[in-house]
Amino acid sequence: MTAAVASSIAIARRVLTTEAEALGVLAESLGHPFDAAIEALERASGRVVVTGMGKSGHVARKISATLASTGCPSFYVHPAEASHGDLGMVTRDDAVVALSNSGETPELGDIIAYCRRFDIPLIGITSGGDSTLALAATVALVLPNHPEACPNRLAPTTSTTMMLALGDALAITLLERKGFTAADFRLFHPGGQLGRRLLRVSDLMHGGEDLPLAAPAAPMSEVLLVMTKKSLGCAGIVDPDGRLIGIVTDGDLRRHMRGDLLSLSAAEVMSASPKTVPPSLLAAEALGIMNAKAITSLFAVNEAGHPVGVLHVHDCLRAGLA
């Protein structure tokens, strides 16, 4: 390692250590004001409006996006634009979260006054405990006095990291108190890898008229017609009560390939007690089961053992789960 590389790594470690220490101090500093902020956000029947200027504005946008994606309707308002008409986006049912390291950002003046005038809950996140923002806020979340990570102690680094982490803490606390589930999370993340990871078997399976089913006594000539028509490479064998008791796959056909195959019954060819999954199982987990057992199809059954769908490995591949 050259001296230049070593120096660069030392600087990076110093920055990360400084910011990590600040987060530890922030965690220890949380108390009643944080709980009061959560209560205020929960009481708001409208949306959470997040605002900030400069670097604080960039952090505010991310906090708003995190809130919105975790079940708390939210949007960002630029404080300067708020003074030129965008205040009309803020209603009396909303709550406002305003970010300013100093607490004296001039552009926040109108939105602070607007919140005071119409009794809109205002959560201030600032390092200035005696600042205009802190004193005007319904609840002030004051950041600990911790040095910025730059050598001049000027560039917003530690302060913005604490703001961002505090925003995450607000969002996740609200998420857990609302009982927000993975299924709810997927509702707001239908695209991308995250959405694919949260797909359920029920989202991809073939059900209803597409289910390939046959009775145990059905001759294989009929079962083959069912398998061909449904094009899933298998047929589920159900008893008179509609419970899945077996499966006939392409592999079963090859194992019984002989002259009288078509005259055999489904019960004579099927693999009994096939592996099944509930429709609520994550599709990625179902794909893992198929890979582990070297099979290409899985029947989804309800609590009574009745088949409600069939998932094929190709469905998972088309959904981008592989």
Side-chain angles (χ1 to χ4, degrees):
M1 184 183 298
T2 65
V5 171
S7 175
S8 297
I9 292 175
I11 294 171
R13 285 175 175 165
R14 187 195 70 225
V15 171
L16 295 175
T17 299
T18 299
E19 297 193 359
E21 290 174 350
L23 292 180
V25 175
L26 174 62
E28 291 299 321
S29 72
L30 296 182
H32 174 71
F34 183 85
D35 191 57
I38 292 294
E39 294 288 345
L41 295 177
E42 284 186 324
R43 283 195 302 269
S45 59
R47 299 149 302 176
V48 176
V49 181
V50 192
T51 187
M53 196 72 187
K55 303 297 187 298
S56 296
H58 296 309
V59 175
R61 286 183 175 89
K62 192 276 178 185
I63 292 174
S64 177
T66 300
L67 287 166
S69 70
T70 52
C72 184
S74 177
F75 64 92
Y76 170 80
V77 168
H78 192 288
E81 296 295 337
S83 300
H84 295 274
D86 282 2
L87 276 175
M89 300 167 68
V90 185
T91 74
R92 299 189 186 195
D93 295 326
D94 298 333
V96 173
V97 177
L99 281 66
S100 169
N101 188 33
S102 68
E104 300 294 346
T105 304
E107 291 85 353
L108 287 176
D110 287 336
I111 200 167
I112 291 174
Y114 186 84
C115 290
R116 292 287 295 270
R117 177 182 177 185
F118 293 104
D119 197 26
I120 297 170
L122 173 63
I123 312 302
I125 299 180
T126 178
S127 295
D130 296 323
S131 64
T132 300
L133 174 59
L135 296 176
T138 309
V139 179
L141 299 179
V142 181
L143 303 175
N145 183 16
H146 205 84
E148 302 287 5
C150 88
N152 298 318
R153 300 293 190 254
L154 296 174
T157 47
T158 304
S159 58
T160 50
T161 296
M162 287 193 288
M163 285 181 177
L164 187 60
L166 190 54
D168 287 342
L170 289 170
I172 301 307
T173 302
L174 289 169
L175 176 153
E176 293 197 19
R177 286 174 61 147
K178 291 179 179 179
F180 197 77
T181 66
D184 299 320
F185 201 74
R186 180 182 169 268
L187 184 64
F188 300 117
H189 299 78
Q193 186 61 34
L194 180 58
R196 291 192 291 271
R197 288 204 308 268
L198 294 173
L199 285 171
R200 303 282 176 177
V201 170
S202 57
D203 295 318
L204 301 178
M205 69 186 190
H206 304 265
E209 294 297 321
D210 293 329
L211 268 178
L213 300 176
M220 282 304 299
S221 57
E222 292 183 13
V223 177
L224 280 171
L225 289 176
V226 171
M227 293 174 66
T228 301
K229 182 179 179 180
K230 305 302 182 179
S231 301
L232 292 172
C234 68
I237 310 304
V238 293
D239 66 14
D241 293 324
R243 290 187 293 266
L244 186 74
I245 61 172
I247 185 173
V248 175
T249 66
D250 292 335
D252 293 314
L253 296 180
R254 289 191 295 271
R255 284 188 289 274
H256 291 81
M257 189 62 69
R258 57 180 191 259
D260 64 344
L261 172 62
L262 296 183
S263 63
L264 295 175
S265 69
E268 293 175 294
V269 177
M270 73 181 190
S271 296
S273 302
K275 177 65 180 178
T276 62
V277 295
S280 60
L281 186 74
L282 288 174
E285 293 183 49
L287 177 60
I289 291 172
M290 287 190 276
N291 288 336
K293 294 188 173 295
I295 56 178
T296 59
S297 300
L298 272 176
F299 270 88
V301 300
N302 60 22
E303 293 180 357
H306 299 150
V308 294
V310 59
L311 179 69
H312 195 278
V313 66
H314 289 163
D315 301 319
C316 298
L317 296 177
R318 280 192 292 268
L321 293 177

